[in-house]
């Protein structure tokens, strides 16, 4: 027994190089611009687009419109497509009717194009957990629907996400402007991330987004608080974690992410969690990577949202813990060495030398796998919900986050996979 009651390391620092190789050979399919609107409509309800054949006379055209009770509201110049008002909710019927007329070249619904917030971050195409187009060979849309959520809110600067971890890189190009405060409760002499885990978690929660650099963060504009509670070897005392929770609350963090887990229960830790909850914080925790149902702490506590991990097919990651204490799941990747499966979550890593480099994890950006990566997706979603509904209480936020899910396979009992768009109240 070590003198420290240490948290176990909850990352899987394995074969990142292989994972990178798997990814670079895959192409990225651009998303379709035609998506359902927030209300689920895909086209205007009383309007169709009609183009007549070059030989059609004015008389022919008037006759077709008369037959279909269509009123031309506009003719689009240069391409001569007519915008035609029709009876409400008869669009498909009218499209077919126009199409049957020999003078019509084509008729189609007036589809709705939505500004889906695909950010310009250069590695966004690697972030299948946010927007899965099948780029990893998985199931398209096995993701948290981040772009759809960002159409509704890009996050408020008032909603701070506290990252209780190994520190956050102090000068990373994709994080530095997001770090609102730094606090070190460990025995390390620096608040910087010398290990490499906290920087990765922070990027998933809220890397600077749409800045033409690096990755996108789930919480988009939401700021980060760097609260170092795990030391430079990736483990930390419960007392450090507890102080980190209490300090987060004092500094008005709205969301507390803890991608860490210990195997021992603790009254101190539970009291801190309960205190943070009473003060209105949403507390998001990794369920742990043992692939079993044995509780981990603080995830097991009532007032923590315990997050398991899924892969790019919305199936439980083999390593993910499960059980009636696990509340939902989020993308965390998969690793099955004997099958050659290494599916990671791409995010920020320290731009300086860190502990994880010895496991092949690169500087600046790389893949990591684990429920540690799942948890900050949910923390980012909770921050988006709080941004969209100012003043909402944590009970409601938790309800939206936990109910706004899609089905995931392989959890017993079943849990859903987080969906940012649904959590915001749209489905
Ligand atoms: Ca999606
Ligand atoms: Ca970025
Ligand atoms: Ca640095």
């Amino acid at each position: 027994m070590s003198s420290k009651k240490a948290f176990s390391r909850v990352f899987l620092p394995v074969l990142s190089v292989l994972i990178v190789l798997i990814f670079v050979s895959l192409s990225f399919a651009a998303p379709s611009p035609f998506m359902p609107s927030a209300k689920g409509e895909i086209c205007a309800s009383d309007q169709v687009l009609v183009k007549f054949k070059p030989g059609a006379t004015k008389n022919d055209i008037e006759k077709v419109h008369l037959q279909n009770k269509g009123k031309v509201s506009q003719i689009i110049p240069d391409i001569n497509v007519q915008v035609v008002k029709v009876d409400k909710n008869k669009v498909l019927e009218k499209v077919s009717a126009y199409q049957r007329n020999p003078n019509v070249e084509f008729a189609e619904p007036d589809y709705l194009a939505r500004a889906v917030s695909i950010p310009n971050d250069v590695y966004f195409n690697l972030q299948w957990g946010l927007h899965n187009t099948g780029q990893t060979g998985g199931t398209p849309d096995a993701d948290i629907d981040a772009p759809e959520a960002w159409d509704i809110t890009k996050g408020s600067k008032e909603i701070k996400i506290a990252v209780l971890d190994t520190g956050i890189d102090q000068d990373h190009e994709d994080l530095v402007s997001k770090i609102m405060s730094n606090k070190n409760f460990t025995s390390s002499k620096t608040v910087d991330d010398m290990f490499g885990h906290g920087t990765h978690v922070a990027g998933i929660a809220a890397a600077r987004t749409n800045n033409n650099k690096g990755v996108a963060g789930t919480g988009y504009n939401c700021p980060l608080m760097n609260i170092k509670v795990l030391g430079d070897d990736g483990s930390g005392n419960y007392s450090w974690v507890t102080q980190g929770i209490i300090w987060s609350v004092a500094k008005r963090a709205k969301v507390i992410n803890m991608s860490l887990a210990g195997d021992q229960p603790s009254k101190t830790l539970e009291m801190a969690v309960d205190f943070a909850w009473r003060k209105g914080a949403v507390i998001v925790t990794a369920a742990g990577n043992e692939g079993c149902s044995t509780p981990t702490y603080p995830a097991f506590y009532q007032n923590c949202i315990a997050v398991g991990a899924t892969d790019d097919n919305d199936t439980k990651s083999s390593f993910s813990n499960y059980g009636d204490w696990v509340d939902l799941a989020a993308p965390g990747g998969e690793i099955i060495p004997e099958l050659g499966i290494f599916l990671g979550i791409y995010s920020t890593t320290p731009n300086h030398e860190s502990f994880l480099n010895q496991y092949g994890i690169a500087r600046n950006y790389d893949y990591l796998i684990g429920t540690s990566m799942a948890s900050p997706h949910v923390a980012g979603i909770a921050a988006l919900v709080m941004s969209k509904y100012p003043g909402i209480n944590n009970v409601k936020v938790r309800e939206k986050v936990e109910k706004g899910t899609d089905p995931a396979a392989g959890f017993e009992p079943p849990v859903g996979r987080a969906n940012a768009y649904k959590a915001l109240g749209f489905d």
Side-chain angles (χ1 to χ4, degrees), residues 84-343:
V84 183
K85 287 274 177 201
V86 295
D87 288 349
K88 206 164 168 62
N89 300 322
K90 294 246 163 98
V91 163
L92 293 181
E93 199 178 300
K94 294 298 177 187
V95 164
S96 329
Y98 274 100
Q99 267 172 338
R100 282 195 300 270
N101 189 288
N103 291 305
V104 170
E105 188 176 315
F106 66 79
E108 63 187 8
D110 191 0
Y111 288 114
L112 297 182
R114 289 175 60 231
V116 171
S117 306
I118 300 294
N120 61 20
D121 307 85
V122 294
Y123 299 129
F124 182 69
N125 61 323
L126 303 178
Q127 297 183 273
W128 60 268
L130 300 182
H131 184 53
N132 188 342
T133 59
Q135 67 268 59
T136 53
T139 309
D141 205 32
D143 58 39
I144 67 162
D145 278 343
E148 291 84 349
W150 296 332
D151 272 352
I152 296 164
T153 178
K154 292 184 171 62
S156 161
K157 296 201 163 57
E158 309 302 312
I159 307 297
K160 292 185 272 189
I161 304 171
V163 175
L164 276 59
D165 214 291
T166 58
I168 301 176
D169 188 349
Q170 293 293 289
D171 58 0
H172 194 289
E173 61 174 10
D174 226 13
L175 290 167
V176 63
S177 69
K178 297 301 272 320
I179 304 173
M180 295 298 112
S181 49
N182 287 293
K183 185 72 182 175
N184 180 12
F185 288 105
T186 73
S187 56
S188 167
K189 61 185 191 308
T190 175
V191 76
D192 209 335
D193 182 11
M194 306 315 290
F195 186 77
H197 187 264
T199 299
H200 199 270
V201 168
I204 297 166
R208 195 172 159 207
T209 301
N210 207 39
N211 61 339
N212 277 303
K213 279 182 191 155
V215 291
T218 310
Y220 211 107
N221 287 328
C222 294
L224 293 163
M225 293 165 66
N226 171 29
I227 303 175
K228 184 161 170 171
V229 299
L230 301 177
D232 298 337
D233 64 351
S235 63
N237 296 347
Y238 275 33
S239 61
W240 299 350
V241 177
T242 299
Q243 289 174 84
I245 296 170
I246 301 295
W247 195 85
S248 312
V249 173
K251 298 296 173 185
R252 303 193 194 293
K254 298 290 186 189
V255 180
I256 298 172
N257 185 82
M258 288 188 273
S259 289
L260 46 81
D263 53 13
Q264 299 298 321
S266 152
K267 289 216 159 57
T268 308
L269 187 60
E270 186 171 16
M271 279 179 69
V273 164
D274 291 346
F275 174 77
W277 179 255
R278 280 199 307 277
K279 291 291 183 178
V282 172
I283 307 145
V284 188
T285 52
N289 300 332
E290 290 75 36
C292 69
S293 61
T294 310
T296 66
Y297 303 91
F300 180 75
Y301 296 127
Q302 185 84 46
N303 289 325
C304 288
I305 300 179
V307 185
T310 49
D311 67 9
D312 58 355
N313 289 309
D314 275 341
T315 298
K316 176 186 166 296
S317 309
S318 53
F319 58 77
S320 176
N321 288 350
Y322 58 95
D324 56 10
W325 54 280
V326 175
D327 297 297
L328 81 169
E334 182 55 290
I335 176 164
I336 309 176
E338 51 277 26
L339 297 179
I341 296 172
F342 303 95
L343 171 74

Side-chain angles (χ1 to χ4, degrees), residues 387-402:
S387 301
K388 157 101 170 109
Y389 301 99
I392 188 174
N393 67 41
N394 56 353
V395 176
K396 277 275 172 209
V397 176
R398 185 168 182 178
E399 189 183 306
K400 281 179 172 293
V401 168
E402 291 183 1

